[in-house]
Amino acid sequence: MARYFPCLALSLLLALAGCAGNKYDKNNDMKANLEPEVWDTSQILKDLKRGRPLTEQEKKALASRGAIQFNLDVADNEEVEMFLQYFTMDKKGTMEKWLQRAEPHLPYVRAVLASYNLPPDLIVLPFIESGYSAMAYSPVGAGGMWQFMPYTGRRFGLTVDWWVDERRDPYKSTVAAAKYLTKLYQMFGDWNLALAAYNAGEGKISRVMAASGQCDFFDIAKDPKLLKQETRHYVPKFLAVLKIFQNLDSLGFKKINWQAGPNLKEVPVPGGTDLLALSRACEMSWEQFRDYNPGFRRQVSPPDATVNVYVPVAKEPVVLAFLQNPGNYPSGGVQTVTAQAGDTWWAIARRAGMPVAELRQLNAALPEDLPPGQTVRVALSASGVDNTALAEGPDACAPKPLAAAKPARHRVNKGESIGSIAKKYGVSTKELLAANKMKNERRLTQGSWIVIPGGAPAQPAAVAAAKSGAVPAAPSPQPATVADASHRVQKGESVSGIAAKYGLSAETLMAANKLRSPKDLRAGATLTIPGKGKPAGPAAVAVAPSKEPAPAARDAKTAKPLAAVADKSPAPSAGRLFGDKAAGVAKAPPAKAPAPAPVQVAAKADKAPAKAVNYKVGPGETVWGIAKKFNVEPSSLMAWNNMKTAGALQAGAQLTIRKE
């Protein structure tokens, strides 16, 4: 597993008031589900029946050679033999299940490895990592087909947060794995050590090499004091599965169908898109949609970013029609709760089972002080495991008097203030000071614990109204930071939230301020509000999906499944678009390489005239590789040169490259 730091068990108890049985657990869809044949090496070794004679087919399979050369001694060969027999005889049913599960992904993985000039043998690595399961989680927290730990995944461009876990995205995680494997081989110059480092972490292998003075993996693996059992047996296990994969037919397995994958189209959707409603518009069940898009952890897309969804090519027109008028379709992945007198964001978040920060993000257009009767949007889990209370109806979450709520505690981090903490939890500064018996903010010290009150904000009018049962007039948003056609960015605000506040699309706002990505937004910056828009009312929809054309390019940290392999426009394909009927893995079509991540650019801003340069295509070069060399989008490169598919690239051809 791709571990970078030793895993520390972090226990965080959330004793929060609200609906019974609806405590928020941010990892409730990340529970360990990895099959024991993958991770329980000690049990595998116990189950191995040693001393059985090899069949002729097994002998031939063991004698086969791959692209990676492994120099094994007798003991190492015996271990490979045992693992081979284990997966071809003892656990043949498991291996057959893994092969069937892997079939839709294999052509894409093969193409990615080829585009990074990595050995095709690495195509079997996900078998011993996850059994080729995109939704796999290990007992120590590694996730996805390639079993990235969260930190390592983020190092290589994968987002892991409350909204998405891109370790589960088979396309993006495969590109991340290729980058990581490239780095490991560059570090160690040896695939035995690189594979061991993929399992144990490059830091661990480097320290072991320095301590032992050994540079050969098999010499290091002989000492049980140096490496854990799982890592010591990792390379022999990899080799055994590789030899099985190379000899499926002779060992009694079904051949790989390299055309098995679905023909998918990648479509960008704006922040806060109701994914369940979109899937229903496509006449797809949520389970079908999620099979194509396993990276989503909610039935709503992240509110502050344009992201990509994968749908069958035939469904693309339906998706585009949905995005033009999402309000015409029944809501699905979003439910609403109604604020009561005295409610705070913190109180509603507890009742909804949703973190305050994410609740505010989804409802960025609403005011800090919620008026009674205000409708608040709540995102539902993609797995449905934490939607119980909301599904039971409004009575199940009837608001309780906030004065009776058990207060939570917050540990003060570096740079935090009473004001920032109060805003984070949706309470007033005065109330927070009072709850902690503090006369002023200067008494706040880093590392100290403070109480987060569960009661209503100390606002006499609201309290009086709550006691009397009267419904006070809804307070209008206070545009204190709005000066004519400008807005000063406050800490915690997002592009989509500010855009929705002024009735604009996020793309329009970004274009007006020349922001290449929502992540370029900085607290304290002054934004231009085009058209001198006015703030939306309190009940405005939190995130207004843009009706403008989708951006031509997207976030550079996300990886596009394939570059230009369909007619006219780039589209991902997990299988059929590769069109290679070969049963082996030695010949990967380099022209069908994965595209680097697109960049989220909202609209076309004023640009200086582009300078064009000519480039002669060398032997073996791909659209993706040339685009990366010049730091341009593959789709743009193809458009400049009237290329319909990446496969049309010819060695010796002259390409036009436009640079700003």
Side-chain angles (χ1 to χ4, degrees):
M1 296 163 195
R3 302 186 186 97
Y4 188 66
F5 288 130
C7 182
L8 300 177
L10 301 178
S11 175
L12 182 60
L13 178 63
L14 298 179
L16 302 177
C19 294
N22 193 40
K23 292 179 181 178
Y24 166 67
D25 175 5
K26 68 178 181 179
N27 293 321
N28 53 20
D29 66 334
M30 295 181 172
K31 294 180 180 178
N33 59 1
L34 207 59
E35 293 154 305
E37 293 88 346
V38 174
W39 66 272
D40 195 353
T41 304
S42 60
Q43 188 59 48
I44 292 176
L45 294 174
K46 289 178 184 177
D47 292 344
L48 285 173
K49 296 179 177 61
R50 304 171 187 270
R52 291 181 304 187
L54 293 169
T55 66
E56 288 302 315
Q57 291 80 7
E58 289 172 339
K59 290 178 181 178
K60 289 180 180 179
L62 287 165
S64 62
R65 299 178 68 83
I68 302 175
Q69 301 303 313
F70 297 90
N71 298 317
L72 310 180
D73 60 22
V74 175
D76 300 324
N77 272 320
E78 288 178 354
E79 194 170 348
V80 175
E81 291 173 9
M82 288 189 295
F83 277 116
L84 183 139
Q85 289 186 324
Y86 179 76
F87 285 111
T88 56
M89 299 178 69
D90 302 50
K91 295 292 181 179
K92 184 174 182 179
T94 297
M95 192 68 205
E96 287 175 336
K97 178 174 66 175
W98 290 356
L99 287 164
Q100 184 178 9
R101 186 191 288 160
E103 213 168 42
H105 305 299
L106 290 172
Y108 178 72
V109 174
R110 183 175 63 175
V112 173
L113 295 175
S115 72
Y116 278 86
N117 295 317
L118 292 170
D121 295 352
L122 296 174
I123 198 170
V124 305
L125 193 58
F127 283 116
I128 67 170
E129 283 291 330
S130 66
Y132 256 99
S133 171
M135 299 297 290
Y137 285 99
S138 77
V140 297
M145 199 163 77
W146 293 91
Q147 287 292 282
F148 277 103
M149 291 296 283
Y151 177 81
T152 312
R154 293 185 182 106
R155 280 177 62 201
F156 292 93
L158 301 178
T159 299
V160 182
D161 60 22
W162 193 80
W163 297 100
V164 296
D165 186 351
E166 290 182 345
R167 296 177 297 169
R168 301 193 312 214
D169 186 314
Y171 308 116
K172 295 177 182 178
S173 66
T174 296
V175 173
K179 293 177 181 178
Y180 190 29
L181 288 164
T182 300
K183 177 180 175 63
L184 292 175
Y185 186 70
Q186 289 171 347
M187 286 183 65
F188 297 103
D190 176 90
W191 278 113
N192 300 333
L193 293 170
L195 287 170
Y198 190 88
N199 176 258
E202 59 263 45
K204 174 65 175 178
I205 299 302
S206 297
R207 290 191 297 271
V208 166
M209 291 173 64
S212 66
Q214 300 282 354
C215 296
D216 181 271
F217 167 77
F218 293 102
D219 289 337
I220 295 172
K222 292 174 183 176
D223 188 347
K225 296 179 182 178
L226 294 176
L227 292 173
K228 291 182 179 180
Q229 185 181 62
E230 179 187 348
T231 306
R232 287 188 284 116
H233 298 293
Y234 191 78
V235 174
K237 186 178 177 183
F238 170 86
L239 273 172
V241 175
L242 173 61
K243 292 178 184 297
I244 293 171
F245 189 77
Q246 292 174 327
N247 298 274
L248 291 175
D249 192 29
S250 65
L251 293 174
F253 292 96
K254 182 181 176 182
K255 289 184 178 180
I256 294 297
N257 177 10
W258 292 91
Q259 313 279 321
N263 191 353
L264 301 178
K265 182 71 176 180
E266 182 181 34
V267 184
V269 299
T273 296
D274 188 330
L275 299 176
L276 179 57
L278 186 151
S279 69
R280 289 172 177 170
C282 292
E283 297 182 341
M284 297 165 59
S285 69
W286 176 249
E287 289 71 24
Q288 289 174 315
F289 180 84
R290 200 181 188 210
D291 283 344
Y292 296 136
N293 300 274
F296 289 111
R297 299 188 62 205
R298 311 293 151 194
Q299 294 178 9
V300 184
S301 69
D304 62 346
T306 297
V307 296
N308 300 320
V309 299
Y310 307 119
V311 295
V313 171
K315 300 290 185 182
E316 182 192 11
V318 180
V319 176
L320 296 178
F322 174 90
L323 296 176
Q324 286 295 319
N325 296 287
N328 293 345
Y329 299 82
S331 177
V334 178
Q335 288 192 9
T336 58
V337 297
T338 302
Q340 307 298 314
D343 256 349
T344 63
W345 285 103
W346 178 242
I348 292 177
R350 285 181 294 176
R351 295 206 302 271
M354 187 173 174
V356 164
E358 279 67 30
L359 183 66
R360 289 295 288 118
Q361 194 178 26
L362 188 61
N363 296 275
L366 301 186
E368 288 292 331
D369 298 325
L370 289 170
Q374 175 67 63
T375 298
V376 179
R377 303 172 80 212
V378 175
L380 300 186
S381 168
S383 62
V385 293
D386 58 1
N387 297 337
T388 306
L390 287 174
E392 290 171 354
D395 291 339
C397 276
K400 297 177 176 61
L402 295 180
K406 185 177 180 179
R409 296 202 308 158
H410 173 86
R411 189 166 187 173
V412 180
N413 297 312
K414 184 177 180 180
E416 287 188 314
S417 65
I418 285 290
S420 66
I421 296 171
K423 184 175 181 180
K424 179 177 181 179
Y425 289 98
V427 299
S428 69
T429 302
K430 184 177 179 181
E431 182 185 15
L432 191 57
L433 288 169
N436 291 276
K437 298 180 180 180
M438 297 170 61
K439 294 183 179 180
N440 56 62
E441 299 185 22
R442 296 178 183 177
R443 292 183 57 190
L444 192 67
T445 56
Q446 181 181 342
S448 63
W449 289 90
I450 63 172
V451 173
I452 307 298
Q459 295 179 358
V463 173
K467 289 181 178 179
S468 64
V471 179
S476 56
Q478 300 299 317
T481 58
V482 180
D484 195 14
S486 65
H487 176 93
R488 188 173 179 81
V489 180
Q490 302 299 312
K491 188 175 181 180
E493 287 190 306
S494 65
V495 168
S496 60
I498 297 171
K501 184 174 183 179
Y502 291 97
L504 303 170
S505 70
E507 289 80 4
T508 301
L509 183 63
M510 290 171 63
N513 293 276
K514 298 183 178 179
L515 297 175
R516 293 185 59 83
S517 165
K519 296 180 181 179
D520 292 339
L521 190 69
R522 296 290 181 266
T526 300
L527 299 182
T528 298
I529 309 300
K532 298 183 180 181
K534 297 180 180 180
V541 176
V543 180
S546 170
K547 294 185 179 181
E548 299 179 10
R554 298 174 284 282
D555 192 346
K557 291 186 179 179
T558 62
K560 188 184 207 174
L562 291 177
V565 290
D567 295 339
K568 297 185 180 179
S569 61
S573 169
R576 295 195 186 100
L577 295 182
F578 284 94
D580 192 340
K581 298 181 181 180
V585 297
K587 296 180 180 179
K592 296 176 182 179
V599 175
Q600 221 178 61
V601 179
K604 295 181 179 179
D606 294 335
K607 298 181 180 179
K611 296 179 180 179
V613 297
N614 292 324
Y615 179 79
K616 185 176 181 179
V617 180
E621 286 194 300
T622 65
V623 167
W624 181 87
I626 297 171
K628 183 179 179 183
K629 182 182 294 187
F630 287 92
N631 195 26
V632 297
E633 286 296 318
S635 56
S636 300
L637 179 63
M638 293 172 63
W640 296 332
N641 294 278
N642 297 319
M643 296 170 59
K644 290 186 177 181
T645 68
L649 189 67
Q650 300 280 340
Q654 291 287 338
L655 298 183
T656 298
I657 312 291
R658 297 180 183 176
K659 298 288 288 182
E660 294 182 5

